Amino acid sequence: MRPLAECAAEVLATADAAEKARLSRAHAAAWVAAREAGEMPPVGRAAPPLRPARPDRPEVLPPREVPKRKPGSAEGRTAMLHAVAHIELNAVDLHWDVIARFAHVPMPPGFYDDWVQAADEESKHFGLLSDCLAARGSHYGALPAHAGMWRAAEDTAEDIMGRLAVVPMVLEARGLDVTPDMIDLFRRHHETDAVAALETIYAEEVGHVAYGSKWFHFLCGRHEQDPRETFQGLVRQYFRGPLKPPFNTEKRAEAGLPPDFYWPLADGMD
Ligand SMILES: [Fe+2]
Ligand SMILES: [Fe+2]
């Protein structure tokens, strides 16, 4: 197969959302097939764009300008699924961006295996939510979406440890905190397709946080740095604002994120 970093840059340069997700899954399948055949395809180098290509729609607005909708209404829940679809599409780009942008950092094959798998799962998540939107007569792009989601990537474009601290270990971990309530909401409204999609996402996101923690610890070991102190320093440097409790301490622990890593960064804790 082509060098992995070039494949990653191609996903980032693809604007159409469905095509981005399709290409992401195709590159992931090629990587997995090569690895299962006992090969280690080249990682190579790439020049990823600072910001990934995106479709003209959805309109991207500052968070406070995105209309608030009540989750009690069917429309509100559709808007919630749209917002999650936007997060998942962003996650597709975030995973490929790590591969493309930090291709110069020597990492073991298992790092790429994990990142490719996570990118593949994010693409699947986007597809699951696109199906839920279609079942409600909507589609990705029909509603405005939050701007600013790429900021964490731009802020950490030069710092792989900062990227791992802020993206999987803060942002994706936050997903573990909020998803159970979302699943309950859709269950109460008997929207079984959304429940199934969110349950798949919830289960697989534990793995993404775990990959982040695993490779963050690996790099701390390489540089002889204390993981907890380093994590807290990087989050204070790159992440704006405190972390918001309540935390899903059980799933976070399952993902290799112990409470003494994040509690000192929480709202009202320092
Ligand atoms: Fe996801
Ligand atoms: Fe994820």
Side-chain angles (χ1 to χ4, degrees), residues 88 91 95 118 121-122 125 172 201 204-209:
E88 298 295 346
H95 281 87
E121 289 170 351
E122 304 298 11
H125 299 169
E172 291 191 283
I201 291 170
E204 292 179 346
E205 290 300 329
V206 177
H208 302 179
V209 178

Side-chain angles (χ1 to χ4, degrees), residues 33-237:
R35 296 287 286 140
E36 282 175 353
E39 296 161 26
M40 175 61 198
V43 172
R45 294 288 167 88
L50 187 57
R51 290 176 184 179
R54 289 291 169 79
D56 294 338
R57 296 268 144 189
E59 184 185 8
V60 177
L61 298 174
R64 49 194 167 70
E65 289 175 30
V66 176
K68 295 250 185 309
R69 292 179 175 86
K70 294 204 172 71
S73 71
E75 275 169 9
R77 291 192 299 282
T78 299
M80 195 180 277
L81 294 171
H82 192 278
V84 180
H86 185 63
I87 290 169
E88 298 295 346
L89 189 69
N90 204 63
V92 173
D93 282 326
L94 280 169
H95 281 87
W96 289 113
D97 189 76
V98 166
I99 292 171
R101 194 166 307 280
F102 301 108
H104 60 284
V105 179
M107 294 298 279
F111 173 80
Y112 302 100
D113 291 338
D114 289 349
W115 245 257
V116 166
Q117 187 192 327
D120 188 42
E121 289 170 351
E122 304 298 11
S123 321
K124 183 174 73 183
H125 299 169
F126 178 75
L128 291 172
L129 289 158
S130 298
D131 291 347
C132 289
L133 289 171
R136 287 157 182 75
S138 188
H139 61 274
Y140 178 67
L143 297 168
H146 280 215
M149 275 196 191
W150 198 252
R151 194 155 78 181
E154 284 181 44
D155 290 348
T156 57
E158 307 285 328
D159 185 344
I160 186 171
M161 291 179 72
R163 177 70 65 89
L164 297 182
V166 169
V167 176
M169 297 172 79
V170 169
L171 297 178
E172 291 191 283
R174 171 89 183 138
L176 301 181
D177 302 336
V178 300
T179 307
D181 281 352
M182 223 185 284
I183 293 172
D184 283 348
L185 172 75
F186 285 96
R187 187 172 284 128
R188 283 202 302 280
H189 290 277
H190 309 291
E191 297 187 42
T192 51
D193 60 339
V195 170
L198 291 168
E199 279 180 339
T200 298
I201 291 170
Y202 184 48
E204 292 179 346
E205 290 300 329
V206 177
H208 302 179
V209 178
Y211 295 157
S213 176
K214 172 168 87 175
W215 293 107
F216 180 80
H217 280 77
F218 173 88
L219 288 168
C220 286
R222 175 181 281 175
H223 300 295
E224 298 185 50
Q225 292 177 351
D226 177 74
R228 187 165 55 91
E229 277 172 25
T230 306
F231 171 74
Q232 289 166 0
L234 290 168
V235 174
R236 287 197 172 100
Q237 182 179 347

